[in-house]
Amino acid sequence: MKKNSVVRKSNSKIRIHSKIKKIDWFRVTPELDKNGFAVVPRLLSVSDCKSLIKLYEDSSLYRKTVAMERYRFGSGEYKYFDYPLPDFVQSLRETIYPFLAPIANSWMSELGIETRYPKNISGLQKFCHSNDQTKPTALILKYVKGGFNTLHQDLYGEVYFPFQAAFFLNEPDQDYEGGDFVMTQSIPRSQSKAIVLKPKQGDMILFTTNFRPIQGKKRHYRAVMKHGVSEVYSGERHTLGIIFHDATN
């Protein structure tokens, strides 16, 4: 690898660390509490997005490729990175996690759940590995015309972290049409609430992996949430997904 390439990668890693630390977490935290998700605009640069899209074609980086049609997950393809993760992906994962861990622990406390999450990603990995969850779950998804992702939750074993992140690598209405980010939230004794977001290139969405706490008349209760992608009408749409817990397979 050329020296200037190493320097660019190092600078990119330092820059994203700085940007994540400068996120207004005093805004993000109450948004996660209130909605189960929060949007951080333009966290990634256009250059970052293009570099991540290029990784999609490098088969040496991935442990598993999934065709959604085969499993009736929708229409499209995604690839799970293998360990070690690419430096930039690892930087996102390890830098974002410590800001989310206190929020996760607060949620567990509100819901009366005994689980408490470690302060850093290495501690969470040890927790996962002790439960036979050793496979990385960071992934890149690709959709073309007609592609979509059914509503789902990214749970890969007994251990799961309550938050995950999605990074949107293409510009809507320019690189693709359709392909909205969709979530649903359960409501007691009623139909689920639908939430539709149209993130821009470089945006990050932080959102709940499974449920969020809602204050009821006497105590907090779990509002189950799922996420998916609506149909892409034209173009190509790529997303980087950062799931913090590991998988069993």
Side-chain angles (χ1 to χ4, degrees):
M1 185 180 292
K2 294 181 179 179
K3 184 177 180 180
N4 62 348
S5 176
V6 174
V7 171
R8 283 197 298 271
K9 285 188 176 183
S10 177
N11 288 343
S12 179
K13 185 175 179 179
I14 292 169
R15 177 172 48 78
I16 199 63
H17 270 254
S18 177
K19 291 186 74 173
I20 290 168
K21 290 176 180 178
K22 290 179 181 178
I23 291 172
D24 184 0
W25 292 100
F26 290 103
R27 174 190 67 82
V28 169
T29 299
E31 287 190 9
L32 285 171
D33 289 338
K34 180 182 178 181
N35 303 315
F37 68 90
V39 180
V40 178
R42 305 297 188 183
L43 181 66
L44 303 185
S45 67
V46 173
S47 176
D48 293 333
C49 293
K50 289 181 177 179
S51 296
L52 287 165
I53 290 172
K54 285 182 180 179
L55 295 183
Y56 196 78
E57 303 306 323
D58 187 349
S59 60
S60 67
L61 297 174
Y62 301 97
R63 67 175 180 87
K64 186 177 183 180
T65 298
V66 176
M68 296 184 195
E69 294 92 337
R70 181 180 177 185
Y71 300 96
R72 302 180 70 181
F73 293 162
S75 178
E77 182 181 77
Y78 56 89
K79 299 180 180 182
Y80 288 107
F81 286 104
D82 203 353
Y83 280 135
L85 300 177
D87 285 347
F88 191 78
V89 176
Q90 177 63 19
S91 293
L92 290 170
R93 197 168 182 245
E94 68 185 16
T95 309
I96 292 169
Y97 176 87
F99 291 100
L100 295 175
I103 309 172
N105 287 332
S106 175
W107 280 21
M108 296 301 102
S109 177
E110 288 174 349
L111 290 167
I113 299 173
E114 293 182 359
T115 302
R116 294 295 181 271
Y117 296 95
K119 294 180 179 180
N120 53 51
I121 192 69
S122 61
L124 179 64
Q125 280 187 288
K126 290 178 182 177
F127 188 22
C128 288
H129 292 185
S130 68
N131 284 269
D132 297 321
Q133 293 176 221
T134 60
K135 303 294 186 181
T137 50
L139 73 165
I140 293 185
L141 306 95
K142 178 181 178 180
Y143 305 91
V144 296
K145 182 179 178 180
F148 67 96
N149 197 346
T150 55
L151 292 167
H152 65 283
Q153 297 176 321
D154 294 305
L155 305 174
Y156 298 100
E158 291 298 317
V159 177
Y160 62 87
F161 187 65
F163 300 108
Q164 61 194 87
F167 300 84
F168 299 85
L169 308 181
N170 299 97
E171 187 66 29
D173 300 326
Q174 179 176 309
D175 298 328
Y176 67 93
E177 295 182 347
D180 294 333
F181 186 75
V182 180
M183 286 181 285
T184 59
Q185 176 189 302
S186 65
I187 299 175
R189 298 175 297 281
S190 182
Q191 299 295 322
S192 294
K193 172 185 177 181
I195 302 158
V196 180
L197 302 174
K198 194 169 186 175
K200 296 183 178 296
Q201 185 178 40
D203 288 359
M204 172 178 71
I205 296 181
L206 298 167
F207 59 101
T208 178
T209 303
N210 191 353
F211 50 75
R212 74 180 186 91
I214 294 181
Q215 178 64 60
K217 291 182 178 180
K218 295 183 178 180
R219 61 180 68 88
H220 285 87
Y221 66 90
R222 304 183 194 190
V224 174
M225 297 188 72
K226 296 182 178 182
H227 64 280
V229 175
S230 69
E231 184 176 350
V232 173
Y233 300 131
S234 65
E236 291 188 354
R237 180 190 187 279
H238 298 79
T239 308
L240 170 67
I242 299 291
I243 299 159
F244 296 96
H245 50 273
D246 287 336
T248 53
N249 54 53

